[in-house]
């Protein structure tokens, strides 16, 4: 979190950034620390308990709590970003990018779903990093549990830590499906050695995460002085997402297919997306879609940002607490962003999806022909999501994108589109764009934003047959999209583009409403690393990715060998290193 400040019984105020909170005091105050996963078991077993002085000292407890927050920035890196952009290259939204297919070859293998091995470093690296994050959270929880009631923030801090523990498990479960849950912070050595990744069914795993969040929800405040701490609305948004995943049951041990859609879970989604919850916290849609993706301080933690990973600059350290996880995404503009690696590039399929017909709505046949900005109508969000040849990069007319190496480090292998949501105007170098080992910025990463809440509610309502309510929610998103032109107000006159986005009118069947909601999720959340997980959740991954690859390989050569294998490629394999170190207690995912 960025510059967390809070009082403890009126005694003091902390002003510490997550970057400055390392493992030193964490290990000093946390002798019960245990490892993240099987491969560390022999090195880090529970060694004892904290002294009464340490347990009852609020300062030590607060330090551990902040350390638990800190790990969600310090434990990730450019190749294992907790935003999951590295793994979204499996979707129809994004190409891997980079200089060639050999640049980040393990991610190329994921993109084409060929040659993926359980021994690949990236498969194990993400597992290790996320379980390291969970072990930091569990250390804080173990200490909080031993505090007496004189620690006035005990219930609230426990709720915050359960929220973080749920978040770590959520990220792992979306990636690997069958995971060991570490919800006992005081595990014995024997219990640790016998952890299983099949203790819970798929549904039971989601239920366990939901239980953590419901306990947290009861004790989180409506507002928080420190923006990085979760509020009641943040927990509600998280609960809605967990119940939405839970609703699409995938409990057949021999497949990853959706076997049922649970109505009670959908009703929970509706319950936790009640507008009153978010109105109470002051959350709403931003007036302009692009405001969510600006680094400037006046746009940080805006009305739509329900919970965000906080980054900062100029906080006393060399680089501050910068967002390095997007370091590979910056384009390589000569003499400007030299060293930019040009990863995570929008697909032609995604760009085509933003085309609109004469009615201002998404076109059913949008992918038949490639988008032509001089002819085709397009949703304004296209120009706020994707950098396109002939238009200004990051809305700065000094940098007009073209068919040069500045905009495609691969020489066109991955096309010339550039993602905009993760990047910063090059004129902000030195203030909001910093060059260290890689490029970084202090721009927050929004985990839950209000538009997603509206779309989750719309999806649940559509599945429950309340189609009119679902369409009304989608239209809220589309109305905001149509008005999001502050950065592109002159694009029509200057560049000849055609901005056109209208609302849906009339009545729709359940199937039609679901199709509309799914399309809107893609357009609104494009390049935010939700797409692949949505496809898996819906049970659509095999059909959508197969259709995508069939057409897209006509446009890009590197997809020539791509092939999605149903009932395997929906999830990553359990890393070989974890299987071999688990004393036979981990079972590999199907067909790996």
């Amino acid at each position: 979190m960025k510059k967390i400040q809070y009082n403890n019984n009126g005694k003091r105020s902390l002003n510490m950034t997550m970057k400055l909170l390392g493992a030193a005091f964490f290990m000093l105050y946390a002798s019960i620390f245990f490892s993240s996963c099987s491969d560390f078991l022999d090195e880090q077993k529970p060694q004892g308990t904290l002294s009464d002085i340490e347990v009852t000292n609020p300062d030590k407890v607060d330090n551990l709590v902040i350390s638990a927050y800190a790990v969600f920035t310090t434990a990730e890196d450019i190749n294992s970003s907790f935003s999951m952009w590295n793994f979204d290259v499996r979707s129809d939204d994004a190409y891997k990018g980079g200089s060639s297919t050999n640049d980040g070859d393990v991610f190329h293998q994921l993109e084409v779903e060929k040659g993926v091995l359980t021994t690949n470093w990236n498969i194990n690296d993400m597992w290790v990093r996320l379980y390291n994050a969970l072990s930091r959270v569990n250390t804080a929880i173990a200490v909080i549990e031993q505090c007496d009631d004189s620690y006035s923030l005990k219930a609230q801090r426990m709720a915050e830590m359960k929220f973080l523990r749920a978040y770590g498990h959520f990220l792992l479960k979306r990636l690997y499906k069958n995971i060991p849950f570490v919800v006992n912070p005081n595990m014995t050595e024997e219990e640790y050695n016998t952890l299983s990744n099949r203790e819970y069914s798929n549904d039971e795993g989601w239920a366990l995460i939901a239980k953590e969040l419901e306990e947290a929800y009861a004790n989180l405040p409506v507002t928080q002085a420190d923006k990085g701490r979760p509020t009641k609305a943040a927990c509600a948004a998280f609960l809605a997402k967990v119940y939405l995943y839970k609703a699409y049951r995938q409990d057949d041990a021999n497949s990853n297919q959706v076997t049922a859609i649970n109505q009670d879970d959908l009703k929970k989604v509706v319950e936790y997306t009640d507008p009153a919850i978010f109105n109470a916290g002051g959350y709403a849609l931003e007036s302009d879609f692009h405001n969510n993706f600006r680094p400037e301080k006046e746009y940080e933690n805006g009305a739509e940002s329900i919970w965000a990973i906080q980054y900062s600059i100029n906080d006393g350290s060399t680089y501050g607490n910068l967002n390095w996880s997007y370091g590979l995404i910056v384009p390589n503009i000569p003499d400007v962003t030299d060293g930019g690696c040009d990863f995570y590039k929008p697909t032609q399929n995604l760009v085509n999806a933003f085309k609109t017909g004469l009615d201002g709505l998404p076109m059913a046949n949008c992918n038949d022909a490639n988008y032509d900005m001089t002819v085709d109508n397009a949703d304004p969000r296209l120009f706020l999501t994707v950098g396109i040849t002939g238009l200004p990069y990051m809305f700065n007319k000094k940098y007009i994108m073209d068919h040069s190496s500045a905009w495609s480090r691969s020489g066109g292998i991955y096309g010339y589109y550039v993602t905009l949501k993760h990047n910063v105007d090059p004129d902000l170098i030195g203030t909001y764009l910093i060059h260290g080992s890689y490029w970084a910025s202090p721009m927050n990463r929004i985990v839950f934003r209000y538009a997603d809440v509206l779309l989750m509610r719309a999806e649940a309502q559509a599945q429950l047959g309340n189609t009119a309510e679902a369409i009304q929610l989608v239209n809220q998103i589309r109305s905001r999209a149509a008005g999001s032109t502050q950065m592109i107000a002159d694009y029509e006159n200057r560049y000849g583009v055609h901005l056109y986005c209208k609302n849906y009118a009339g009545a729709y069947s359940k199937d039609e409403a679901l199709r509309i909601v799914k399309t809107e999720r893609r357009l609104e959340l494009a390049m935010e690393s939700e797409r692949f997980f949505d496809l898996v959740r819906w049970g659509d991954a095999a059909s959508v990715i197969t259709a995508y690859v069939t057409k897209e390989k006509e446009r890009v050569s590197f997809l020539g060998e791509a092939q999605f294998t149903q009932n395997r490629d929906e999830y990553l394999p359990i890393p070989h290193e974890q299987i071999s170190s688990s004393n036979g207690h981990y079972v590999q995912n199907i067909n790996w």
Side-chain angles (χ1 to χ4, degrees), residues 137-153:
V137 174
N138 269 338
T139 297
I141 287 176
V143 176
I144 294 170
E145 283 180 340
Q146 297 181 59
C147 291
D148 59 33
D149 291 340
S150 65
Y151 180 46
S152 62
L153 293 173

Side-chain angles (χ1 to χ4, degrees), residues 237 240-241 244 269-270 272-276 278-279 283-286 304 306 448-462 469-480 517 520-521 524-525:
K241 182 153 287 193
L244 201 53
V269 177
V270 173
Y272 285 113
T273 56
D274 185 337
F278 301 91
N279 292 340
Y283 301 105
L285 291 178
E286 285 278 4
E304 196 165 335
I306 297 172
F448 301 114
R449 63 182 178 96
Y450 190 60
D452 193 4
V453 171
L454 294 178
L455 289 167
M456 289 190 291
R457 186 175 181 84
E459 184 177 335
Q461 294 286 26
E469 169 73 4
I471 297 302
Q472 185 273 329
L473 291 161
V474 167
N475 282 340
Q476 287 187 48
I477 303 292
R478 293 189 66 78
S479 293
R480 193 271 294 276
V517 172
E520 200 63 29
R521 275 194 70 83
E524 177 68 19
L525 302 175

Side-chain angles (χ1 to χ4, degrees), residues 361-374:
L361 299 175
M363 300 168 61
N365 63 342
C366 64
N367 201 40
D368 289 352
N370 290 347
Y371 168 72
D372 181 341
M373 73 179 184
T374 65

